[in-house]
Amino acid sequence: MLAPSDFEHMLRTVDLRVTAPRVAVLSTVHANPHSDTDSIIGRVRDSIGAVSHQAVYDVLKALTDAGLLRRIQPRGLVARYETRVADNHHHVVCRQCGAVEDVDCATGVAPCLAPSESHGFAIDEAEVIYWGLCPQCVSSQ
Ligand SMILES: [Zn+2]
Ligand SMILES: [Zn+2]
């Protein structure tokens, strides 16, 4: 479990000023991977009190732009955020309830970054989403 000082350090390493909303957003996303914006706003308000939707949106954008958060948006679902960045992992998404889990890539140190044909592009990211039904949704069918 990371301490508030760890999140303050993460902000400083990307030259972002340390603010209570930024620390609260980072820590709640770290504790709740693949959270959507509404649940992040709820948890941030629980921890630091009144903060506007817009303030949280702005923090999410700043942290994502700075590379501290990764934003994923499977089609048909709202955007989700996570602090597991820069490892190019993938996601499995439940088509029925929207549950999201991480999937490591099985192919070496630069997962899935060596496509069969690059068309000359300098590729630095691969976005793979596996769709299906989560265990709960399978068992409720
Ligand atoms: Zn499901
Ligand atoms: Zn993930």
Side-chain angles (χ1 to χ4, degrees):
M1 200 56 213
L2 297 180
S5 60
D6 294 316
F7 298 112
E8 292 171 11
H9 177 74
M10 289 163 71
L11 289 167
R12 289 197 188 94
T13 59
V14 295
D15 289 326
L16 283 179
R17 205 159 48 84
V18 172
T19 66
R22 284 175 178 167
V23 172
V25 167
L26 260 185
S27 64
T28 191
V29 174
H30 183 78
N32 304 278
H34 314 123
S35 293
D36 63 24
T37 305
D38 283 346
S39 67
I40 293 167
I41 290 170
R43 290 198 174 95
V44 166
R45 284 180 175 159
D46 286 345
S47 82
I48 62 168
V51 54
S52 69
H53 270 73
Q54 191 59 49
V56 173
Y57 284 122
D58 290 347
V59 168
L60 286 169
K61 180 166 191 328
L63 296 180
T64 303
D65 289 347
L68 294 180
L69 293 183
R70 178 174 168 188
R71 179 185 192 276
I72 60 164
Q73 186 160 24
R75 67 168 191 270
L77 297 175
V78 296
R80 315 291 187 94
Y81 295 88
E82 63 188 337
T83 54
R84 186 178 165 184
V85 296
D87 70 347
N88 200 60
H89 70 274
H90 307 307
H91 294 98
V92 60
V93 180
C94 178
R95 188 175 274 126
Q96 188 154 304
C97 73
V100 178
E101 296 292 343
D102 287 337
V103 179
D104 290 328
C105 196
T107 58
V109 290
C112 300
L113 294 183
S116 52
E117 171 57 78
S118 72
H119 298 281
F121 284 46
I123 292 169
D124 59 21
E125 183 178 341
E127 189 171 299
V128 177
I129 294 181
Y130 303 92
W131 291 90
L133 292 177
C134 73
Q136 282 82 1
C137 289
V138 167
S139 63
S140 70
Q141 292 220 325

